[in-house]
Amino acid sequence: MKIKVAPSILAGDFAKMGETVEKLERCGADLIHCDVMDGNFVPPITFGAQMVKAIRPHTTLRLDCHLMVLHPEEQIEDFAAAGADLISVHAEACDALPLLERIRSLGVKACVAVNPETPVEKLFPCAEAADMLLIMSVRPGWGGQKFLSGSLKKIETLRNFCVKNGFADKPIEVDGGIGEENVREVIGAGADVIVAGSAVFRSPDMAATIAKLRGAR
Ligand code: DX5
Ligand code: ZN
């Protein structure tokens, strides 16, 4: 499986988001991960569809919009219009399965996410229909947290489920606490889309870090 790296702009400078995504593209990122937080589903507030619209002209990379919001169904049209290429909704925040079709009907890839305390089995009914599945490996809401090791088992369980059910290549994204020191385990467990905020933005050499995160197998 080809590994993709999705740096999270949550860890970037919010006053310079245009330049930030341009730099990430130059440094070899595969996707731009946009962490949308509403102050309800998670305590912090970050940004919404307007930010996605603002950065859209600055990159040709796909914008991977992770909606940590209640009632994502009320926002998907705005994100699609803003230029999102992929929208992730949380299984804890909505009835995800019917929403996937609605997202895809807007020409956007649809993904379902689960929090650390949510059993991975909650993704099973959506697994075939979704374009990607997202396992949170930290409590959503903040960058810079420690990777929760229990996530590895969830990744393995989900990859096995996908293999057994005839969609072995389903992209599995893992988000939170990933860096050069643990990415090998995350990929080994079956993940192929790696979100990294702090590891990329705190690096003195973003391009090298992105390459290492991708090539760590
Ligand atoms: C957490 C976000 C993650 C997080 C990743 O709610 O969804 O994308 O910012 O940041 P690091 O890599 O610093 O854990
Ligand atoms: Zn995220």
Side-chain angles (χ1 to χ4, degrees):
M1 246 174 302
K2 190 174 168 332
I3 308 301
K4 295 192 169 69
V5 179
S8 167
I9 57 172
L10 180 63
D13 181 344
F14 276 39
K16 297 181 184 165
M17 277 304 175
E19 289 165 49
T20 299
V21 296
E22 286 169 13
K23 182 166 183 198
L24 289 171
E25 182 163 357
R26 279 198 309 276
C27 289
D30 295 292
L31 298 160
I32 303 289
H33 187 81
C34 304
D35 281 312
V36 177
M37 305 186 190
D38 68 347
N40 283 299
F41 183 71
V42 289
I45 297 176
T46 53
F47 53 78
Q50 277 176 312
M51 178 66 91
V52 172
K53 189 176 178 192
I55 62 174
R56 182 65 284 176
H58 291 270
T59 180
T60 60
L61 295 179
R62 286 175 293 150
L63 300 178
D64 168 23
C65 299
H66 177 195
L67 304 195
M68 286 164 276
V69 306
L70 289 181
H71 303 297
E73 68 280 0
E74 292 173 5
Q75 299 208 38
I76 55 174
E77 276 80 7
D78 288 348
F79 278 91
D85 297 282
L86 201 146
I87 294 177
S88 295
V89 297
H90 267 267
E92 302 86 359
C94 63
D95 184 7
L97 188 56
L99 205 48
L100 297 179
E101 258 325 292
R102 248 185 76 202
I103 294 171
R104 288 154 66 103
S105 73
L106 298 167
V108 178
K109 301 263 191 231
C111 171
V112 189
V114 285
N115 283 341
E117 71 276 12
T118 303
V120 72
E121 288 75 14
K122 181 102 175 167
L123 289 174
F124 289 180
C126 299
E128 189 163 14
D131 294 298
M132 184 167 81
L133 301 163
L134 167 56
I135 293 180
M136 286 302 301
S137 44
V138 295
R139 185 176 164 219
W142 301 272
Q145 302 178 74
K146 192 175 172 311
F147 181 85
L148 296 168
S149 56
S151 316
L152 293 172
K153 183 81 203 131
K154 290 172 82 173
I155 301 165
E156 264 178 49
T157 303
L158 185 59
R159 178 58 73 202
N160 287 338
F161 177 84
C162 292
V163 169
K164 276 194 196 119
N165 287 280
F167 34 93
D169 292 340
K170 184 73 58 175
I172 297 179
E173 183 175 50
V174 181
D175 183 5
I178 305 176
E180 289 173 37
E181 68 296 343
N182 62 0
V183 70
R184 207 174 287 268
E185 284 178 286
V186 176
I187 293 170
D192 55 348
V193 185
I194 304 298
V195 177
S198 318
V200 169
F201 282 91
R202 285 188 197 152
S203 166
D205 185 345
M206 260 189 193
T209 297
I210 290 171
K212 281 185 196 157
L213 288 171
R214 188 186 300 109
R217 220 207 274 257

